[in-house]
Amino acid sequence: MVEVADGNGRLSDEEFEQLKALLRRFCAHDLDQWEAWKLRMDTGHVAYVRMQWGPMPDADDPIFREI
C-alpha cells in the first residue's frame, strides 16, 4: 500500500500508478456494463465519474486520455 505523504496535494507518480492498476483491476473484475460515482470535494464541488464499456455517445475516441 502506498503511503500518502500529503493527503491534500496532487498524487505522486507512485500513487498515480497504483490508481491506474486498481482501476484496471476494477474494470476487469467488477465493472459489469457501467458505473457512475459522485464524489463530494472538501471545496464544495462535486466530481462525477462514469465508467462504461465503450465510449459515451457523441464522444470521439481521441478525446480520451489513455492511461
Side-chain angles (χ1 to χ4, degrees):
M1 182 62 106
V2 173
E3 281 194 38
V4 178
D6 177 8
N8 295 318
R10 294 178 59 99
L11 295 179
S12 68
D13 290 344
E14 185 179 3
E15 288 170 324
F16 188 62
E17 290 303 315
Q18 183 181 32
L19 173 65
K20 291 189 305 184
L22 290 171
L23 279 172
R24 280 188 196 99
R25 192 166 116 207
F26 176 83
C27 290
H29 300 286
D30 296 299
L31 183 62
D32 183 17
Q33 293 182 9
W34 57 271
E35 185 75 23
W37 299 340
K38 182 165 69 171
L39 307 163
R40 297 194 183 278
M41 304 292 110
D42 292 339
T43 60
H45 293 93
V46 177
Y48 294 88
V49 178
R50 171 112 187 203
M51 291 178 279
Q52 62 190 37
W53 293 109
M56 298 174 287
D58 302 324
D60 294 324
D61 190 67
I63 71 165
F64 293 92
R65 177 180 169 194
E66 187 160 339
I67 60 169

